[in-house]
Amino acid sequence: RALDIIPTTLHANKIQLHQVTVYSIHPLSGVTGKLTDILDDFSPDFVVFFSPSGVQFTADVLSKHLRSDVVLIGFGKSTAKQIVESFGDKFLVGTCKTPDPSGVLNSILDLQN
């Protein structure tokens, strides 16, 4: 799902834009079953999402299988926003300050305190 930030900004500045969709994002076949199998045997403390679509594609199964004290982390602001939209206030949500491994680590460390 494309965000409308760029088209809105360009339009507001009277800059013409022609959009062409070159790919679409969809869930992998069997992802729900794979996640269920993993979560039946493993209970994570943190789940990190790297894209809003990853949140959307897994929210239903994760809502049913995660403990209420699991922390969900978005790799960026858009992803963290999608976490809140998909899960509401069911889980504590963090956002990486930088989109890299150290950002993930720092978010985990910040949220542990």
Side-chain angles (χ1 to χ4, degrees), residues 15-91:
I15 297 172
Q16 188 176 27
L17 171 69
H18 296 279
Q19 291 180 264
V20 177
T21 302
V22 296
Y23 69 93
S24 66
I25 299 172
H26 56 278
L28 294 174
S29 175
V31 71
T32 299
K34 290 175 186 175
L35 277 174
T36 300
D37 289 346
I38 290 168
L39 294 171
D40 283 345
D41 296 328
F42 176 73
S43 183
D45 295 322
F46 297 90
V47 176
V48 179
F49 293 96
F50 295 92
S51 71
S53 57
V55 176
Q56 293 171 327
F57 296 148
T58 59
D60 287 342
V61 70
L62 292 176
S63 288
K64 295 173 186 170
H65 288 88
L66 293 178
R67 300 181 329 265
S68 62
D69 64 337
V70 171
V71 177
L72 307 181
I73 297 174
F75 205 58
K77 291 179 184 178
S78 297
T79 304
K81 179 180 175 187
Q82 185 62 54
I83 292 170
V84 172
E85 289 176 12
S86 295
F87 292 97
D89 61 358
K90 186 173 180 178
F91 301 100

Side-chain angles (χ1 to χ4, degrees), residues 93-108:
V93 177
T95 306
C96 295
K97 292 178 183 165
T98 58
D100 54 36
S102 65
V104 174
L105 176 61
N106 288 332
S107 292
I108 290 171

